[in-house]
Amino acid sequence: MKRITLLGLLFLTLHIHSQTLQSPSKEITLKFSLSTDGRPTYEVAYKNKPVVLQSNLGIYLKNDTALASNFSVTDAKTATFNETWHPILGEQSNIINNYNELKVSLTQSGSNRKMDIVFRVYNEGVAFRYEFPKQPNLNYFIVSDEKSEFKLAGDHKAFWLPGDFDSQEYAYNETKLSEVNTEKIDKNNGIGLKSIFSKYGVQSPLMMKSADGLYINIFEAAVVNYPVMHLDLNPIAYTLTSHLVPNAIGDKAYLQAPCNTPWRTIMVSSDARDIVGSKMILNLNEPCKIEDTSWIKPMKYVGVWWEMHVGKSTWDYAGSQNAQNAADGQLKPTGKHGATTENTKRYIDFAAKNGFDGVLVEGWNVGWEDWFGNWKEDVFDFTTPYPDFNLKEVTDYAKSKGIKMIMHHETSGSVANYERHLDRALNLMKEYGYPAAKSGYVGRIIPRGEFHDGQTMVNHFNFVARRFADYKLMINSHESSRPTGYSRTYPNYIAAEAARGNEFNAWSIGNPPMHETILPFTRLLGGPMDYTPGIFEIKMSAYDPKKTEQVHTTLAKQLALYITMYSPLQMAADLPENYEKHMDAFQFIKDVAVDWQDSKYLEAEPGDYLTVARKDKHSENWFLGAITDENARDTEIKLDFLSPDKKYKAIIYQDGKDADWKNNPKSYVIKTIQVTSKSKIKLHLAQGGGAAISFQPIN
């Protein structure tokens, strides 16, 4: 239940320049003040330790006065807020949203323009944003820059990605802030489009750890009608400054008052579990705007996808032949096309036999012969299947087996074309009973000159989620801007990629073993990720003896990822025949839930390890996942999260004694024991390894 209490209403004069606010726990303190030249500044401390030193705030307008100095405080209001809300899909059934708020109203001398800065202080961090009330001298305006500073108290260890406006698909770098340098990263690190803005530019969220053991995360929330925030680093002063992604002509944002910017967030704690388990980003978004949410359902799926990445089949029907011929029925098939009617039926059979909800098929529609790298306007129409994919036959067959089909919309970056065809594509989905789609945005954006992280594209991704909701359909976006909690407002935005996914292990230098221990502290803070776990055939030489690529985990770790990498849309990504060789281990994927009643973060250290336990929303079953980086690890887990009045059958899937992600990744053991809430379980995690456990109450 929502409770809002006014703590104080202060009418400040020009001589009063500062205000402090604490978190409900009293551990975090925010101080706002005006400098002598009327520049708004703020500071953040945790248990009296400085986290953010005095840092400037301000917005710069195109060809106009900067809203960054010459301010006076005309009003300040404080309030407290406490509610419990219930996500449609999530890591827990109940989320507490509790904060203290300070709203400072500023008026600029000379221009008489007004700007409010709103601060919210949670137990795990601070958030602030700029608000622009309706006013005669600031109606429609263009933001040329935002200078929100984060002056850090030391040379922290940081887990960072280069500031690429078009891609987050990089492996993380782990260095001190003073050692950040995008020019020194491995050229094979990612497949971004290389729109990197600065030698010292990094992406948010930025996860850090101080020398004295504080965990600090800088991110943003509720990015709506505004570009994504990257961060410019001064590696000497340890100061980060917001860097907004520009559009094709260099402008950052077009706004009309009344309006506001997204929230800038600083999470801080002496316990890493507080960061990785935080719901602060979700809490800063607006409540759900969909009245009837009964059609929004979690899904576990398989699909015609991984076989293309490993080279067994192709997305295209006819190799390098012109795509227009496909629409005219003139293409000659190569024989390697994956999205055929018969092959799809094979996946449908496998899904039905093993209790899955859906099947994804990529490469079903014409256009793949000429889609990548050509920057073409109209590659796909999202409604015309290849000659060997019979939509009606596949749909009828899936329906007869109780399986839902998942649509695939690859835009090849041609967003204008996708928007032109969107309603026809959604009508096709409704006609054939597809409940969800996976979208893709590989390549440079059309309209030309726009970036994936710019205001235009942020608006597009959010618009697609809203338009899908109009049709009562769910959307899972790939190569989109990274989520910032919008799934609270539109929970049909069921998942996104927006990071380096599991497929990189199939054809590149891969994802280092620490990769999955960092993502929950960064990318997943903003919303669920479609990481596509569950790869059992670890080495790509199984498909081609000449290949040296491989997945950088053990098989047991792939099971654990279903718990540590939260998503209500989870894929068993490997080929059916690979699962059939290991049905004992595959049982965990069959059993694991994807929507949760409760989640407990038991152990956490970014870049090193993570252990999570989750309770199924619809039963008394618990599941646990534990993962490590390139270092082997032994741990003992207390099971005090289990119900104290029950006995459980614990089925443990863990690395074998000789397991190793590189040399012996498929060594695993499975054992069953009886446990209670007073029990402890010892786990051995191999190098790049993990463990997964299902707990089932004993009647």
Side-chain angles (χ1 to χ4, degrees):
M1 180 178 179
K2 186 185 297 185
R3 300 195 305 274
I4 302 178
T5 305
L6 189 65
L7 296 178
L9 177 61
L10 304 176
F11 294 96
L12 304 182
T13 69
L14 290 174
H15 302 291
I16 300 176
H17 297 299
S18 66
Q19 186 85 338
T20 60
L21 190 70
Q22 287 189 313
S23 62
S25 66
K26 310 296 184 186
E27 292 183 341
I28 298 177
T29 301
L30 164 85
K31 180 181 178 182
F32 169 83
S33 61
L34 285 181
S35 62
T36 54
D37 63 348
R39 186 178 297 274
T41 70
Y42 77 103
E43 304 168 46
V44 177
Y46 175 78
K47 295 182 179 179
N48 297 319
K49 289 183 179 181
V51 177
V52 178
L53 307 179
Q54 189 172 40
S55 300
N56 294 325
L57 300 171
I59 296 287
Y60 289 74
L61 308 183
K62 185 176 183 180
N63 301 323
D64 210 334
T65 306
L67 299 174
S69 60
N70 299 316
F71 281 112
S72 60
V73 177
T74 56
D75 193 12
K77 297 177 181 178
T78 57
T80 188
F81 185 87
N82 193 1
E83 70 168 354
T84 299
W85 60 279
H86 312 290
I88 307 305
L89 306 171
E91 296 182 79
Q92 55 206 63
S93 295
N94 304 310
I95 294 178
I96 297 173
N97 186 14
N98 181 208
Y99 59 83
N100 292 326
E101 181 177 282
L102 168 67
K103 182 175 183 178
V104 182
S105 297
L106 304 171
T107 301
Q108 190 175 50
S109 62
S111 71
N112 202 37
R113 286 176 171 163
K114 303 182 187 302
M115 180 176 74
D116 300 334
I117 303 179
V118 180
F119 297 91
R120 291 181 180 175
V121 187
Y122 293 80
N123 286 340
E124 66 264 48
V126 172
F128 64 86
R129 74 178 182 186
Y130 306 90
E131 297 183 352
F132 303 94
K134 189 174 183 178
Q135 51 194 295
N137 54 352
L138 188 65
N139 183 18
Y140 171 81
F141 58 101
I142 300 173
V143 174
S144 62
D145 226 335
E146 177 189 327
K147 296 296 182 183
S148 298
E149 290 183 351
F150 309 85
K151 187 175 178 59
L152 300 168
D155 190 10
H156 305 327
K157 178 171 69 174
F159 301 90
W160 57 274
L161 302 178
D164 188 329
F165 297 155
D166 271 317
S167 178
Q168 315 88 357
E169 294 184 313
Y170 292 87
Y172 280 90
N173 301 274
E174 180 182 344
T175 71
K176 290 184 176 181
L177 288 170
S178 60
E179 297 168 349
V180 169
N181 186 340
T182 64
E183 294 178 354
K184 294 183 178 181
I185 64 173
D186 188 336
K187 292 181 180 179
N188 296 314
N189 190 358
I191 57 168
L193 301 180
K194 304 302 181 285
S195 51
I196 296 175
F197 71 85
S198 168
K199 179 179 179 180
Y200 303 115
V202 298
Q203 298 190 27
S204 73
L206 179 65
M207 186 68 204
M208 295 168 286
K209 185 180 182 181
S210 69
D212 58 354
L214 287 187
Y215 298 89
I216 303 164
N217 184 287
I218 295 177
F219 194 19
E220 60 181 335
V223 180
V224 177
N225 193 33
Y226 208 74
V228 166
M229 179 184 74
H230 291 243
L231 297 166
D232 243 335
L233 169 66
N234 180 330
I236 298 174
Y238 318 134
T239 298
L240 298 155
T241 305
S242 58
H243 186 114
L244 303 182
V245 176
N247 65 9
I249 60 174
D251 296 334
K252 306 298 176 62
Y254 303 110
L255 301 177
Q256 184 171 9
C259 59
N260 54 260
T261 69
W263 296 96
R264 280 62 185 97
T265 64
I266 306 119
M267 298 183 196
V268 57
S269 179
S270 57
D271 190 334
R273 295 176 299 176
D274 294 336
I275 306 295
V276 73
S278 172
K279 296 296 171 281
M280 181 173 158
I281 301 300
L282 284 176
N283 280 331
L284 288 163
N285 280 263
E286 294 186 26
C288 179
K289 291 189 175 182
I290 302 173
E291 291 186 10
D292 173 20
T293 58
S294 61
W295 49 274
I296 301 174
K297 303 288 187 183
M299 295 186 74
K300 201 186 301 183
Y301 71 104
V302 296
V304 183
W305 177 74
W306 186 249
E307 63 182 70
M308 283 85 107
H309 286 287
V310 301
K312 179 183 176 182
S313 63
T314 63
W315 283 273
D316 59 84
Y317 173 77
S320 60
Q321 299 177 55
N322 187 278
Q324 181 56 46
N325 291 335
D328 298 337
Q330 299 175 14
L331 287 183
K332 295 181 179 180
T334 62
K336 289 193 69 176
H337 186 219
T340 68
T341 299
E342 293 308 311
N343 195 32
T344 303
K345 286 182 177 181
R346 185 170 69 93
Y347 280 85
I348 291 170
D349 288 341
F350 182 80
K353 179 181 177 181
N354 292 286
F356 283 75
D357 304 298
V359 172
L360 165 75
V361 181
E362 293 198 10
W364 69 276
N365 55 327
V366 301
W368 290 91
E369 283 75 20
D370 199 25
W371 76 285
F372 182 73
N374 292 329
W375 221 4
K376 290 185 66 175
E377 188 84 19
D378 56 351
V379 177
F380 299 105
D381 68 6
F382 314 100
T383 59
T384 305
Y386 277 121
D388 59 351
F389 186 79
N390 189 312
L391 262 173
K392 186 177 187 310
E393 184 177 344
V394 166
T395 302
D396 290 345
Y397 190 78
K399 186 176 180 181
S400 73
K401 298 284 186 174
I403 297 298
K404 297 288 188 180
M405 297 301 298
I406 299 174
M407 181 56 72
H408 184 236
H409 292 159
E410 175 54 62
T411 69
S412 66
S414 184
V415 177
N417 180 58
Y418 188 41
E419 291 186 354
R420 284 194 296 270
H421 289 89
L422 185 58
D423 283 288
R424 280 168 283 183
L426 299 184
N427 279 321
L428 184 77
M429 289 179 63
K430 295 299 287 186
E431 178 184 353
Y432 287 98
Y434 283 66
K438 171 185 175 181
S439 61
Y441 295 85
V442 175
R444 294 194 178 277
I445 297 299
I446 300 174
R448 291 166 175 79
E450 298 292 339
F451 296 111
H452 286 72
D453 285 352
Q455 183 186 29
T456 294
M457 287 304 298
V458 166
N459 287 345
H460 167 79
F461 297 129
N462 291 344
F463 162 73
V464 169
R466 296 193 301 271
R467 199 71 182 121
F468 266 69
D470 291 339
Y471 284 79
K472 294 188 175 182
L473 297 171
M474 297 182 291
I475 180 66
N476 162 31
S477 64
H478 281 231
E479 297 88 32
S480 62
S481 59
R482 76 282 186 282
T484 57
Y486 200 63
S487 59
R488 179 187 180 185
T489 311
Y490 283 90
N492 69 309
Y493 202 160
I494 190 171
E497 184 191 40
R500 188 181 177 98
N502 216 3
E503 72 273 13
F504 275 77
N505 289 306
W507 37 257
S508 75
I509 61 171
N511 304 336
M514 74 172 183
H515 187 63
E516 294 92 353
T517 71
I518 300 171
L519 285 170
F521 290 90
T522 52
R523 159 66 187 82
L524 275 100
L525 293 176
M529 180 179 177
D530 187 28
Y531 188 69
T532 60
I535 303 303
F536 280 14
E537 190 58 74
I538 303 294
K539 294 181 180 290
M540 299 304 110
S541 57
Y543 306 100
D544 182 348
K546 297 178 182 178
K547 289 187 175 182
T548 59
E549 296 88 353
Q550 71 168 96
V551 178
H552 289 53
T553 75
T554 64
L555 187 151
K557 185 175 180 179
Q558 287 291 309
L559 298 179
L561 295 178
Y562 285 93
I563 306 300
T564 62
M565 303 284 285
Y566 164 69
S567 178
L569 180 74
Q570 287 282 22
M571 185 181 197
D574 211 335
L575 311 184
E577 53 266 36
N578 291 337
Y579 290 132
E580 288 166 352
K581 298 173 187 176
H582 302 280
M583 290 304 291
D584 55 350
F586 186 62
Q587 187 63 45
F588 181 82
I589 300 178
K590 292 170 62 175
D591 291 341
V592 70
V594 290
D595 195 19
W596 305 104
Q597 184 180 153
D598 197 8
S599 295
K600 305 289 185 184
Y601 286 84
L602 306 178
E603 302 177 304
E605 183 66 30
D608 290 340
Y609 57 83
L610 183 66
T611 303
V612 188
R614 304 189 194 275
K615 186 179 183 181
D616 178 19
K617 184 178 284 187
H618 304 291
S619 75
E620 291 299 307
N621 294 343
W622 282 82
F623 297 86
L624 182 145
I627 62 173
T628 188
D629 60 359
E630 68 278 4
N631 299 304
R633 183 167 187 265
D634 292 294
T635 185
E636 185 175 70
I637 306 298
K638 294 181 180 180
L639 304 184
D640 52 5
F641 53 85
L642 297 174
S643 297
D645 58 341
K646 296 181 184 297
K647 294 180 181 179
Y648 293 82
K649 179 176 71 172
I651 307 173
I652 305 170
Y653 305 76
Q654 66 180 108
D655 296 315
K657 290 182 180 180
D658 57 347
D660 176 274
W661 74 267
K662 190 172 185 179
N663 299 314
N664 196 15
K666 293 198 287 187
S667 173
Y668 63 89
V669 294
I670 303 172
K671 64 179 180 179
T672 301
I673 61 175
Q674 183 173 301
V675 298
T676 70
S677 62
K678 296 180 180 180
S679 302
K680 298 178 182 178
I681 291 182
K682 291 183 178 181
L683 296 175
H684 171 74
L685 310 183
Q687 294 178 345
I693 308 175
S694 65
F695 299 92
Q696 302 167 8
I698 300 173
N699 293 330

